Amino acid sequence: MSAVTTNQKIDFEKRRKQLFAEYESFVSRDNARIERGYNGIFYRYQNPVLTAKHIPLFWRYDLNETTNPYLMERLEVNTVFNAGAIEWNGKILLMPRIESNDVKSFFGIAESDNGVDDFRFWNYPTVMPQTDDPDMNNYDIRLVKHEDGWIYGLFCAERKDKSVSNDTSAAIATNAIARTKDFVNWERLPDLVSKSPQQRNCVLHPEFVNGKYAFYTRPMDGFIETGGGGGIGWGTCDDITCPVLEDEFIIEPKKYHTVKEVKNGLGPAPLKTEYGWLHLAHGVRRTAAGLRYVLYLFLCDLDEPWKVIRQPSRHFIAPEGIERVGDVSNVVFSNGWVMRENGEVYIYYASSDTRMHVATTTIDRLTDYILNTPEDAGQTYDCVQQRMELIDRNLKLG
């Protein structure tokens, strides 16, 4: 390499200061709540809470002038999305899927005091231990405070499908399990074992059920297609260090001509309310523009959490505006939410596999929504009758 001139040195220092100033301005900006068009259920916010631009500069750039005289971005980040969420030591932690330009995904921890802006990453990404069968890719972690005292992370571990040697895209998804007490040191446990050929979007129930660890699963025949599987499953095991599900059955099936007609899967661990276990899930349907992912809610029994007792038929959050554009367009996906002591609920959702957003509400509003929003009326005729009844009641009010 030719010697670096004095002018280049001045440009390097100027550019480095400019990068840090731009980064600080971007990360520290306020994130205003959108008041216009409020639907009575939740508020959206003007800005995403995490993007590729939130990744620290020292994760991406070689800041040494000798080895990087042109101050090039050496290890770029493509997208930041699908974050697990938890409240810890008075702060909100997000643990997103960080996908670099080499298509490898990894985890990192970003924290915020208020949960809606100024999320800042810890100095280092998460080092997740490997199993004896190393995985190629890790993503979409669910963070769960379990009553056994551990914080668990359940995530997808992807490996090459060696049975299909001529297809370089063929993969097998399994549900990986790790646990921690400080979010820095993780103990990797064996992957979840079930009778399903593929597992992803698995969630640990936060309490023991009849003395057992309970899992919400998403059995699938293929890496993308559900095949004969599909729906949100349920299974239990005695020992989480030997997580084998002998019995697994569907508690929340996919259904024709609904928001979950192609497939569905659980988002974060459910919230415990006086009315039951409140769940946030994603549903997928096929459109002329491809698959469309939305979020929906359902409620399970407190004592028998495998029993769905209430479910509005409609989507809860769907992509809007810029949320519809990204690496995989027309998608919202959530694997993290937080209920605070004052009843506020922060819902963290990704849009189009590209960025993270927050929506805020309260547990009172969510329970009102789940208990009083109409369930599926059935066919078009029945849905019209349902709406006519609402119109009649409103018109009688004068």
Side-chain angles (χ1 to χ4, degrees):
M1 181 182 296
S2 59
V4 180
T5 67
T6 301
N7 287 338
Q8 286 175 320
K9 182 176 181 180
I10 294 172
D11 288 344
F12 180 93
E13 293 176 351
K14 180 180 179 180
R15 176 60 179 152
R16 181 166 58 182
K17 289 180 179 178
Q18 181 184 6
L19 281 174
F20 276 89
E22 291 172 352
Y23 177 85
E24 181 61 28
S25 175
F26 177 79
V27 172
S28 63
R29 62 181 178 169
D30 292 335
N31 196 8
R33 195 170 73 177
I34 300 174
E35 305 287 346
R36 188 174 183 179
Y38 176 51
N39 62 4
I41 310 168
F42 61 83
Y43 287 99
R44 275 180 158 93
Y45 284 73
Q46 287 184 351
N47 302 318
V49 293
L50 283 180
T51 68
K53 290 175 66 175
H54 283 80
I55 298 297
L57 297 175
F58 53 87
W59 287 27
R60 296 182 277 145
Y61 287 84
D62 177 357
L63 299 173
N64 187 317
E65 183 179 4
T66 301
T67 53
N68 189 19
Y70 298 106
L71 201 51
M72 295 180 182
E73 197 171 0
R74 297 297 195 197
L75 295 176
E76 306 98 329
V77 168
N78 182 44
T79 51
V80 176
F81 60 111
N82 293 5
I86 200 165
E87 186 173 11
W88 190 67
N89 290 343
K91 297 180 182 293
I92 300 295
L93 303 189
L94 295 185
M95 192 172 182
R97 172 180 180 175
I98 303 166
E99 184 184 276
S100 55
N101 284 17
D102 60 9
V103 202
K104 306 301 188 297
S105 294
F106 59 95
F107 301 123
I109 300 288
E111 70 174 42
S112 167
D113 290 331
N114 62 21
V116 299
D117 54 29
D118 205 26
F119 274 95
R120 295 177 183 269
F121 278 92
W122 292 1
N123 279 348
Y124 293 94
T126 302
V127 178
M128 190 61 69
Q130 288 277 25
T131 63
D132 292 338
D133 182 13
D135 32 66
M136 173 62 73
N137 214 23
N138 298 154
Y139 49 87
D140 299 358
I141 196 166
R142 276 80 170 169
L143 297 174
V144 183
K145 293 179 182 177
H146 196 273
E147 69 169 312
D148 71 359
W150 285 95
I151 296 170
Y152 288 89
L154 278 72
F155 56 94
C156 182
E158 180 185 324
R159 300 175 178 88
K160 175 75 175 70
D161 186 351
K162 298 175 183 177
S163 68
V164 189
S165 58
N166 62 340
D167 184 354
T168 54
S169 67
I172 294 176
T174 61
N175 178 74
I177 305 172
R179 60 186 181 184
T180 186
K181 293 288 181 72
D182 59 10
F183 295 96
V184 175
N185 302 290
W186 291 83
E187 177 188 2
R188 183 76 178 264
L189 303 179
D191 292 353
L192 186 69
V193 177
S194 74
K195 296 177 182 178
S196 174
Q198 305 260 1
Q199 283 283 11
R200 60 152 65 93
N201 296 311
C202 295
V203 181
L204 180 65
H205 190 69
E207 296 182 359
F208 289 111
V209 177
N210 298 325
K212 297 178 180 290
Y213 289 93
F215 294 86
Y216 303 93
T217 63
R218 212 276 288 278
M220 296 179 65
D221 290 351
F223 186 72
I224 300 296
E225 299 297 328
T226 59
I232 297 170
W234 172 270
T236 61
C237 70
D238 294 322
D239 183 0
I240 200 167
T241 65
C242 184
V244 179
L245 305 183
E246 295 296 337
D247 295 310
E248 181 185 13
F249 57 91
I250 299 298
I251 65 170
E252 163 56 2
K254 58 184 182 178
K255 185 179 181 181
Y256 168 67
H257 210 77
T258 66
V259 298
K260 53 179 180 176
E261 68 177 6
V262 173
K263 54 186 173 181
N264 57 332
L266 199 59
L271 302 178
K272 191 175 187 179
T273 77
E274 60 180 307
Y275 304 102
W277 291 99
L278 182 63
H279 288 271
L280 179 65
H282 64 268
V284 185
R285 69 180 178 93
R286 189 169 281 110
T287 74
L291 297 180
R292 183 175 192 248
Y293 281 66
V294 298
L295 302 177
Y296 71 97
L297 296 175
F298 64 94
L299 190 70
C300 284
D301 187 81
L302 270 181
D303 298 320
E304 298 177 305
W306 58 89
K307 291 185 177 180
V308 178
I309 59 175
R310 182 75 186 173
Q311 181 177 160
S313 61
R314 59 215 72 241
H315 71 245
F316 175 66
I317 295 178
E320 293 184 357
I322 192 62
E323 296 173 358
R324 299 188 62 215
V325 180
D327 269 18
V328 184
S329 294
N330 209 16
V331 168
V332 286
F333 185 95
S334 177
N335 48 296
W337 60 359
V338 172
M339 181 170 67
R340 311 202 80 168
E341 190 174 347
N342 63 1
E344 291 181 333
V345 178
Y346 294 71
I347 303 166
Y348 296 97
Y349 66 97
S351 69
S352 298
D353 284 14
T354 299
R355 60 192 79 81
M356 286 298 307
H357 307 265
V358 65
T360 58
T361 183
T362 66
I363 197 62
D364 289 341
R365 290 182 182 273
L366 290 178
T367 52
D368 182 280
Y369 173 89
I370 200 76
L371 295 174
N372 298 306
T373 301
E375 296 193 282
D376 195 349
Q379 298 173 331
T380 294
Y381 178 86
D382 301 311
C383 292
V384 172
Q385 296 305 308
Q386 185 184 70
R387 196 172 296 271
M388 293 283 283
E389 291 175 7
L390 174 64
I391 294 170
D392 284 343
R393 292 198 306 271
N394 284 331
L395 291 179
K396 289 176 182 178
L397 295 175

